[in-house]
Amino acid sequence: AFRTGWALDGQKFSGEYGDMGAAVATALLAPEARTRLEGRVEVAGALREPLLRLVHVLRSMEYDSKDGREISLDKLEDKIIQWPYYALSVFNFYSPLYKPISWAENLTAPEFQIFDPPSAITLLNGMMDAVEYGELSNCGASFGQTWKDCARGAFYFGLNDSNIGEDPVSQLDLLLTGGRLAASAPLVQGAYEQ
């Protein structure tokens, strides 16, 4: 559509190269964008980039520094294979056409190109340390900068918020998993109550 100026459904826009209207119409009107994928687990969902996952958890859990300083993360390209402005190419950290070897021919998963076991474990360990220590300094496997002490920040989720109510697990489900925790909710509720 961007190259031809024609939308996916055959509607002519300008008919010239670079037509953003045709590109947007094609993206929004594509069958994949308009069809619900209930029950089709093999094509539903997406893997978030490591840096987006980290920032999502920090924002959802209301992480903030204790002394009012700017939150500073250490360079993470060696830990989670991603850091702003450090992409190996001007296009991104991965090829948009990448797909894991065992996947069906018509499916792509670009984010899986930088999702390898060492970086996945490092991301998980860093997040677990951030929760355990309540900070992002270089204590444990965390992602922060080197400081003299480990207590530079904390997660403030629910501490100053009266709308958490009686069910913080459902709030965490909404914030961290987009409401997809249903099958594991009793297990998480049990762990929360302990």
Side-chain angles (χ1 to χ4, degrees):
F2 184 79
R3 284 182 268 172
T4 65
W6 287 75
L8 182 68
D9 62 355
Q11 181 182 359
K12 181 178 180 181
F13 279 74
S14 71
E16 297 181 16
Y17 178 84
D19 191 322
M20 288 302 294
V24 169
T26 296
L28 295 178
L29 299 175
E32 295 89 5
R34 302 178 71 203
T35 306
R36 294 190 64 115
L37 297 173
E38 294 171 4
R40 296 188 60 206
V41 177
E42 71 277 4
V43 295
L47 176 69
R48 279 192 171 162
E49 298 174 33
L51 187 60
L52 292 180
R53 281 184 276 168
L54 176 61
V55 171
H56 175 90
V57 168
L58 295 178
R59 291 188 70 189
S60 295
M61 301 306 294
E62 300 176 17
Y63 183 83
D64 200 4
S65 65
K66 290 182 178 178
D67 53 9
R69 292 184 185 191
E70 182 176 297
I71 297 169
S72 178
L73 298 173
D74 201 5
K75 291 182 181 178
L76 299 178
E77 70 271 10
D78 294 333
K79 296 178 181 179
I80 62 171
I81 313 179
Q82 196 174 36
W83 188 241
Y85 313 113
Y86 281 80
L88 299 175
S89 159
V90 295
F91 298 106
N92 211 331
F93 291 90
Y94 42 78
S95 165
L97 302 176
Y98 178 82
K99 70 180 188 90
I101 295 170
S102 62
W103 284 36
E105 189 63 35
N106 61 339
L107 297 177
T108 61
E111 291 84 357
F112 275 93
Q113 189 172 0
I114 61 172
F115 183 74
D116 62 357
S119 65
I121 296 298
T122 300
L123 179 65
L124 184 60
N125 285 342
M127 285 191 200
M128 295 295 290
D129 280 353
V131 170
E132 182 177 340
Y133 296 118
E135 52 71 42
L136 287 177
S137 73
N138 65 335
C139 300
S142 198
F143 305 122
Q145 304 246 339
T146 303
W147 299 101
K148 293 178 184 174
D149 61 346
C150 288
R152 284 296 194 191
F155 292 100
Y156 292 98
F157 172 76
L159 295 180
N160 301 319
D161 198 358
S162 60
N163 66 4
I164 296 298
E166 300 290 320
D167 193 11
V169 173
S170 65
Q171 283 285 51
L172 291 172
D173 176 24
L174 177 65
L175 291 171
L176 297 176
T177 69
R180 294 184 299 263
L181 192 63
S184 303
L187 178 67
V188 174
Q189 185 70 40
Y192 174 77
E193 290 171 358
Q194 287 180 350

